[in-house]
Amino acid sequence: MSAPFRRLFSPSLSLDAFAQCACRRAPRAAPFEQARCFSSSPATFSGHSKWATIKHDKAKNDAGKSKQRALLTNDITHAVKLNGPDPNMNPRLALALTTAKKAQIPKATIEAAIARGQGLSTSGAALENVVLETMLPGSVAAVIECQTDNKLRTLADLRLMIKETGGTVSTVGYMFEKKGRIILQKKDGVGADEVLEPAIEAGAEDVQDLDDGRVVLYTDPSDTKTIGETVAKAMGMEIAESEIIYDPNEDTMVPLDDAEVAAKLGEFVDEVQEESGIQGVYLNWAKGSISDELWDELASKTAI
């Protein structure tokens, strides 16, 4: 049997003395006073800010990877268009495939790029050309060109992107001119001045130097292939790209003066280029008063 309750206390301390003990009468600190004794500085909560930073950095890295993937797959498609789908007979395609594999581009994406270069889907069905014209925020006009095996689905996806950006599907084709564009690989000592004469003789409309040392020719769309091959042979140069583009008319160019609108347009271009089969996004924007850094970033999204 357990000892009587009174035996739990020391014989020298009666119940009355226990009740009168100073430690029993000491006031208890409020919970917040107890917490405050650890530090005199206010508490800070950085979890949300830290997560926002991580999320922003991840989005930036993902965008960079998406852009790299788009560039590599476009290289494959252009190589197939120029010299066929057999890498044994197409050195440029072989190099593009090697680069894509090193960058860990999925096999299915590579196969789709090769098929697209032949005008086919991965299932072997013929691709259909789709062109969508739109007016975007800031009164910037855009022409989006793609190849797809499902026209209705592609148009629905693009229209949703346009709507979410604040743009509208609208006829803006008159602000652009359809041209053939041929880009010649860089060759030491050869620039637009050296290429000009044989290019004009072949029927080219314009010749320009690019910042990376390559030369670009503009032609009538129907003569693109013939002129490109003629000039390349005459100059002993290789064709890097040959395609039909929508070139904005100089008198319709829209200067970008609002950095927020400019950033929104950049995000739209990134999103559209993620769509499978996109051939090009052409805009009639110009630098305006936005920063050089922002303009360079935007220009790189649709650069040649």
Side-chain angles (χ1 to χ4, degrees):
M1 185 174 179
S2 61
F5 178 75
R6 64 177 179 272
R7 291 183 183 176
L8 296 176
F9 298 97
S10 171
S12 61
L13 184 62
S14 67
L15 287 175
D16 291 338
F18 177 77
Q20 295 174 5
C21 178
C23 66
R24 297 282 295 172
R25 295 195 304 272
R28 293 185 178 182
F32 288 107
E33 292 176 341
Q34 291 178 351
R36 216 170 31 237
C37 70
F38 291 103
S39 174
S40 60
S41 61
T44 57
F45 300 91
S46 61
H48 174 74
S49 177
K50 183 178 180 181
W51 167 243
T53 301
I54 294 172
K55 186 178 180 181
H56 174 75
D57 290 344
K58 182 179 184 301
K60 189 174 181 179
N61 290 335
D62 288 346
K65 291 178 181 178
S66 296
K67 182 178 178 180
Q68 182 191 32
R69 184 166 60 247
L71 290 173
L72 292 175
T73 54
N74 282 340
D75 281 345
I76 294 172
T77 299
H78 284 308
V80 172
K81 285 181 178 179
L82 290 171
N83 298 307
D86 184 356
N88 296 319
M89 302 295 292
N90 188 341
R92 184 181 171 188
L93 175 59
L95 177 60
L97 291 175
T98 300
T99 305
K101 290 174 182 177
K102 286 182 179 178
Q104 297 183 334
I105 304 298
K107 182 179 179 182
T109 303
I110 293 175
E111 291 176 348
I114 293 174
R116 192 160 58 248
Q118 302 173 79
L120 303 172
S121 68
T122 51
S123 64
L127 295 176
E128 186 174 3
N129 288 324
V130 174
V131 177
L132 187 62
E133 302 173 13
T134 176
M135 185 64 72
L136 299 172
S139 298
V140 172
V143 175
I144 304 169
E145 187 179 23
C146 62
Q147 290 183 326
T148 178
D149 58 354
N150 191 326
K151 181 178 179 179
L152 294 179
R153 182 194 64 208
T154 299
L155 286 174
D157 290 344
L158 291 175
R159 282 172 176 153
L160 179 60
M161 293 179 197
I162 292 168
K163 181 179 179 182
E164 290 177 341
T165 302
T168 57
V169 175
S170 179
T171 302
V172 297
Y174 65 91
M175 299 182 185
F176 298 79
E177 183 179 357
K178 202 171 183 179
K179 295 180 179 180
R181 182 177 67 191
I182 303 141
I183 301 176
L184 301 175
Q185 289 282 23
K186 181 179 178 180
K187 183 178 180 180
D188 291 341
V190 178
D193 291 341
E194 288 73 25
V195 175
L196 181 61
E197 186 174 345
I200 295 300
E201 289 180 357
E205 298 176 356
D206 194 12
V207 182
Q208 297 177 7
D209 282 315
L210 299 180
D211 292 339
D212 60 5
R214 297 184 299 173
V215 177
V216 58
L217 315 176
Y218 290 98
T219 72
D220 183 272
S222 61
D223 297 329
T224 304
K225 181 177 175 61
T226 302
I227 292 175
E229 291 176 349
T230 300
V231 175
K233 183 177 180 180
M235 298 301 301
M237 303 172 73
E238 294 184 5
I239 297 175
E241 295 179 22
S242 179
E243 57 189 339
I244 309 301
I245 65 163
Y246 290 84
D247 191 33
N249 298 325
E250 288 294 331
D251 58 352
T252 67
M253 300 294 280
V254 178
L256 298 177
D257 298 320
D258 188 321
E260 186 176 345
V261 171
K264 194 171 186 179
L265 292 172
E267 292 173 359
F268 171 76
V269 173
D270 285 337
E271 185 179 9
V272 169
Q273 290 180 337
E274 281 288 296
E275 186 74 12
S276 176
I278 292 295
Q279 300 297 292
V281 183
Y282 309 99
L283 302 98
N284 67 338
W285 59 14
K287 181 179 180 299
S289 60
I290 62 173
S291 67
D292 292 341
E293 182 181 2
L294 179 54
W295 173 245
D296 289 343
E297 181 183 347
L298 293 176
S300 69
K301 297 178 186 295
T302 55
I304 293 175

